Amino acid sequence: MLNADRYAMLGLGEIFDKVTAGERLSIEDGELLYNCPDITAVGALAHHVRTRMHGDRTYYVLNRQVNYTNICVNGCLFCAFQRERGQQGAYVMQPSDIVDRVLDDKGTPFTEVHIVGGCHPDLPLEWFEDVIRRIKQQRPEIVVKAFTAVEIAHFATLAGIGTAEVLARLKAAGLESMPGGGAEIFAPRVRERICARKATAQEWLRIAGEAHGLGITTNCTMLFGHIESIDDRLDHLDRLRRQQDVSGGFNCFIPLPFLTENSLLKLPEDRRGEHVGLDRLRTIAVSRLLLDNIPHIKAYWVMMGIKMAQTALYFGADDLDGTIVEERIGQEAGASSGQGLTISSLRHMITASGFTPVQRDTHFNPVEATL
């Protein structure tokens, strides 16, 4: 039970009133939430909203990731996954290898295949259309969730066509949904330093809107905990919220904590200390409170770690992603959470935290659980 007097004493009285009335918070409210010394008070507000929206349900999906190449032209400073062509460890999967991975479900009947990779300098749009068609021919029931807005922009540049046409062609091949990567932080001064060659914030948001207009749902993300400021985070959340007001196709928001172990990006001292975990939980909570029009907040266990992801369920998160099976990008960055989880492990994560597990599809529709 939330205590109005407690929030008034913390200087959050107006925010308390807005949250309990279901009203939209301002960016200034977000600043107050980030500055509040009592993180449990912020978490309780977020948990109130999460419970109002989803009860005690926590979602998971049976999915399989495929990272088709680590060769990328963007050379982002924070990325430990990227390789140059010819560099040791560089790889490109063949379409047949991708299909083989989808077919090899290892006893888990995947409902979603999640395909992302580097922006390869030579792979044409037809290559990706062929991959999707092969998957749908072999597994017509599976949802193909593939390619970030950054990859879409890259495909368009190589093909000499617009991004809307790229999306239409991929949809015709069988694309149904897109992940939310590549958003990083929208602030131009930060983006110029950490991912100068990547699609701009305006391009990322435009492509997301184009996808939504075609009926392709997407996720959205924010990479935080590096050189960005709190104002940059709040600006990022506000831009996502405004885009959602217009196009309405974001299924889920995923705050991605920056993993420092194998990155060339050097952090300020205050981003390396003992409060990193609290900052991650606070960011989950503030995201839930500000993003009133995006239905789901994900605690991505690969990058947050299992224990932190479980705790985040009390700070506004309602989704843990899924089985994944094989993930390279977070692992290269230094994630220690492992490659994949079994269905029973995911369900135990949820029930042990005091929540009810709900198996979902890509679009967050509940499906009958596979045990």
Side-chain angles (χ1 to χ4, degrees):
M1 187 74 176
L2 298 177
N3 186 309
D5 291 339
R6 178 190 181 197
Y7 285 95
M9 289 178 60
L10 290 169
L12 302 180
E14 290 187 13
I15 293 176
F16 172 88
D17 291 340
K18 287 182 181 180
V19 169
T20 54
E23 297 175 4
R24 174 165 285 188
L25 300 186
S26 67
I27 295 303
E28 291 73 25
D29 293 332
E31 292 175 357
L32 289 173
L33 290 167
Y34 260 113
N35 290 325
C36 177
D38 187 345
I39 189 173
T40 63
V42 178
L45 283 175
H47 189 62
H48 174 80
V49 173
R50 179 244 203 264
T51 303
R52 183 169 64 203
M53 297 175 72
H54 304 292
D56 70 349
R57 297 183 299 277
T58 295
Y59 299 92
Y60 68 96
V61 64
L62 308 189
N63 62 347
R64 204 240 199 265
Q65 279 207 25
V66 179
N67 303 130
Y68 58 88
T69 186
N70 60 356
I71 298 172
C72 184
V73 300
N74 287 326
C76 298
L77 187 62
F78 63 83
C79 183
F81 176 68
Q82 183 261 356
R83 300 290 187 275
E84 298 290 337
R85 187 167 40 190
Q87 184 179 351
Q88 183 177 2
Y91 74 90
V92 183
M93 294 174 64
Q94 295 301 310
S96 58
D97 294 331
I98 297 173
V99 175
D100 286 345
R101 277 173 163 75
V102 175
L103 296 178
D104 181 18
D105 61 18
K106 302 185 185 304
T108 300
F110 306 121
T111 61
E112 169 190 297
V113 57
H114 176 143
I115 305 174
V116 291
C119 291
H120 194 284
D122 298 322
L123 295 179
L125 179 58
E126 291 80 7
W127 190 92
F128 298 97
E129 292 173 297
D130 179 55
V131 166
I132 297 174
R133 290 194 181 102
R134 290 191 191 201
I135 291 171
K136 296 298 284 186
Q137 286 169 359
Q138 295 290 327
R139 292 283 303 274
E141 78 285 357
I142 204 167
V143 171
V144 176
K145 183 177 82 175
F147 315 130
T148 66
V150 170
E151 288 166 274
I152 298 299
H154 178 70
F155 300 163
T157 297
L158 290 184
I161 58 177
T163 51
E165 184 176 348
V166 170
L167 289 164
R169 284 175 56 173
L170 292 172
K171 181 180 179 181
L175 180 70
E176 291 185 43
S177 187
M178 290 167 55
E184 320 312 358
I185 281 284
F186 290 147
R189 65 169 186 83
V190 179
R191 209 169 184 86
E192 180 64 27
R193 179 171 173 194
I194 69 172
C195 54
R197 301 179 198 168
K198 188 168 278 186
T200 66
Q202 291 78 8
E203 289 170 329
W204 192 99
L205 291 163
R206 174 180 55 76
I207 292 166
E210 290 172 347
H212 300 166
L214 290 170
I216 301 170
T217 61
T218 76
N219 290 337
C220 51
T221 61
M222 177 176 72
L223 183 70
F224 72 97
H226 45 92
I227 62 170
E228 88 290 351
S229 67
I230 297 302
D231 286 343
D232 293 332
R233 296 185 196 180
L234 294 170
D235 169 70
H236 189 100
L237 294 173
D238 184 54
R239 293 199 207 194
L240 290 174
R241 187 169 67 177
R242 285 186 278 128
Q243 180 62 53
Q244 182 77 337
D245 281 342
V246 173
S247 57
F250 291 131
N251 280 331
C252 183
F253 172 69
I254 312 160
L256 298 172
F258 174 64
L259 302 179
T260 63
E261 284 81 352
N262 300 318
S263 174
L264 296 176
L265 181 60
K266 303 307 177 186
L267 296 187
E269 288 295 331
D270 62 353
R271 294 294 170 88
R272 307 175 197 169
E274 59 188 8
H275 303 300
V276 168
L278 295 180
D279 182 53
R280 292 175 181 180
L281 291 174
R282 188 187 297 270
T283 298
I284 289 273
V286 173
S287 300
R288 177 64 288 164
L289 290 165
L290 288 184
L291 298 177
D292 52 21
N293 55 0
I294 296 179
H296 300 281
I297 304 293
K298 179 176 297 186
Y300 186 41
W301 64 262
V302 171
M303 295 183 74
M304 293 199 75
I306 289 174
K307 292 180 180 179
M308 182 68 70
Q310 287 176 295
T311 307
L313 298 178
Y314 284 96
F315 282 75
D318 64 279
D319 183 71
L320 290 176
D321 202 278
T323 49
I324 295 177
V325 180
E326 179 185 24
E327 191 277 345
R328 299 191 182 190
I329 298 173
Q331 298 300 317
E332 292 279 358
S336 58
S337 50
Q339 285 284 339
L341 288 176
T342 63
I343 299 170
S344 60
S345 295
L346 273 167
R347 293 181 66 88
H348 179 70
M349 276 179 66
I350 296 166
T351 57
S353 304
F355 295 88
T356 299
V358 177
Q359 184 180 325
R360 64 168 176 84
D361 64 13
T362 302
H363 308 293
F364 283 83
N365 300 307
V367 299
E368 185 175 351
T370 301
L371 301 178

